[in-house]
Amino acid sequence: MRPPSPSIPEKEFLFASLKQSLRLDGRSALELRTPTFTYGPELGWVECSLGKTRVLAHVDGKMVKPPPERPFEGMITIHSEISPMASSDYEIGRPSDEEVTITRMLDKVLKRSDAVDKESLCIQAGQRVWHIRLTLHFLSDAGNMLDCACLAGIVALKHFRRPDIEVIGDEVIVHAPTERAPVPLAIQHTPFCLTFAFFPDSETSPILDPNQLEQRLSAGLLSIALNAQRELCVLQKLGGVPLVNDEVLRLVDVAVTKAQELNILVDTSLREDWAQRKVEVR
Amino acid sequence: MSIVLPGENVPAQHVNLKLGPGLLQSTTSTSSDASRPSIIATRAGTLHHSANGAKWWVESNSRRYVPAAQESVVGVVTHRAGEGYRVDIGTAHPASLDALAFEGASRRNKPNLKVGSLVYARVSLAHKDMEPELECFDAQTRKAEGFGELKGGFVVRCSLKMSRDLLDPSHFLLPLLGGRFPLEVAVGMNGRVWISAKEVKQTIAIARCIGEVDTDGGGMGIEGVKKLLDSLDV
């Protein structure tokens, strides 16, 4: 069953309020809901929430034999399936359009942008590499699950630490976390995804981080993935709203400042969590 | 007041016993005395009863609506089907609303609802094996009694506990808002509240207050709401 589209009064009210540049949650047009991170007991277990949208990310690693065509590279797989837990609009087994978009964007943002250095995951060429698996659970949908999922994913990858290993001849020794401190993944850059929504009325300015109603009633979405160093990774536009070049460039500039803010936020949050995890060794 | 869990026995006894939501008269009597029916809870929550012990019910909070007869709900028309409409009221199955179940409706003169219209209706039939049915009038008097199509305004979604609280005359929120500016509200027991005010920012203020006071969203008290309304300049 497709989710019922919003009712006529809701649509009319939202368009009228956006015309007065008022948003339902009191944000300004280009304001992000402040993300909060909750870390679990394990390393690489992060719950990210943007308002009432919540995504849980979990990273684990194991050793596998690499495929023969890429013997020097580790593997990264992303599992993202939206279950009815997020909202009653989603069904098991049949991926919705939104799920397909999110899966493809996650692949582009986290994997194909080379956020994690794959060659550093190699243990023995052609014999053993690390297989990093990122699992995302969508807990609650209040709009813009894509940005929330990307954020949860990258924070989980930065939070994760794999056990230290040692290669002596043909033998691989895995050191337990109690023996040697686990090592973080080699993260080359930190991409963030930011979504803008456009409305059919050309006078209404685009808004950042749409909530569920805004997302459903939007005429088009523009997702920009980039890092704090102003390097664009992905630019995806959905829906048929015509856009002027200058407008896209302006939004990219907005996204840059937001990505820099997010970068600081993520770094402080990870540092605070790491400070709590210190165990004194005697 | 006590807390019950599903399956727990409830000591409800009265000659004219009425069971509310969350309670069930078990068919296989587990009590030793066969003449006394055993009542079990089907939901987790707090157990309440009326002063004389004739009415018993379980209070709890949830987000998914399960229809019950005689409850008023706010729904969205999703299809027009022959002589009636399909209405989404947030239940597992869509409800049906007959085109003749309106005040003054006849074969010649039927209301014309578009797909996407909002209706305020009463659940006339709620059976576990059948689709729920709605009506927009009182079947005895054939008067609208406030039910019918809702034009303009906005719909807020909240938890089921919040929608019951809004219907409680002693709850502080609606009188407080009504003291500041004129407003219209239709509270559905299905966790949807239709609100309407003259200005857009007033409607947004109501929507935000309901969201903040909701125990799901933060459970803000009366002082917090006053501060929020001051900051919103309404």
Side-chain angles (χ1 to χ4, degrees), chain B residues 79-86 96-100:
Chain B
H79 294 280
R80 290 175 68 150
E83 291 288 279
Y85 303 95
R86 306 238 129 217
S96 60
L97 171 62
D98 197 273
L100 295 173

Side-chain angles (χ1 to χ4, degrees), chain B residues 10-197:
Chain B
V10 172
Q13 295 301 331
H14 197 267
V15 278
N16 190 12
L17 189 64
K18 274 220 150 186
L19 296 179
L23 293 174
L24 185 77
Q25 182 175 354
S26 107
T27 44
T28 53
S29 184
T30 49
S31 67
S32 52
D33 187 358
S35 64
R36 280 164 40 136
S38 93
I39 310 295
I40 54 167
T42 57
R43 254 195 242 169
T46 52
L47 185 69
H48 294 256
H49 60 85
S50 58
N52 61 357
K55 292 170 183 166
W56 290 71
W57 69 95
V58 176
E59 282 264 1
S60 60
N61 195 5
S62 59
R63 294 180 192 87
R64 191 76 157 148
Y65 178 62
V66 178
Q70 300 308 313
E71 285 185 346
S72 41
V73 291
V74 173
V76 185
V77 175
T78 54
H79 294 280
R80 290 175 68 150
E83 291 288 279
Y85 303 95
R86 306 238 129 217
V87 183
D88 168 52
I89 53 169
T91 47
H93 302 279
S96 60
L97 171 62
D98 197 273
L100 295 173
F102 287 83
E103 186 191 61
S106 62
R107 290 244 170 255
R108 295 265 175 80
N109 178 25
K110 275 186 276 190
N112 187 23
L113 297 178
K114 284 195 221 95
V115 169
S117 307
L118 278 174
V119 285
Y120 191 45
R122 183 184 17 225
V123 179
S124 58
L125 178 85
H127 189 273
K128 60 176 179 160
D129 297 324
M130 288 162 78
E131 272 186 358
E133 280 179 22
L134 306 177
E135 60 185 14
C136 280
F137 68 158
D138 191 314
Q140 256 101 51
T141 59
R142 305 194 73 82
K143 288 272 179 281
E145 314 243 321
F147 295 111
E149 189 185 354
L150 299 167
K151 287 178 183 135
F154 185 66
V155 178
V156 195
R157 275 145 233 261
C158 59
S159 66
L160 299 187
K161 177 85 177 71
M162 187 66 210
S163 62
R164 284 198 303 271
D165 280 350
L166 287 174
L167 284 170
D168 179 1
S170 60
H171 194 260
F172 69 88
L173 184 61
L174 291 179
L176 177 69
L177 290 168
R180 296 223 175 198
F181 49 83
L183 62 115
E184 266 188 282
V185 178
V187 184
M189 294 280 275
N190 56 344
R192 291 181 192 184
V193 183
W194 174 84
I195 53 177
S196 175

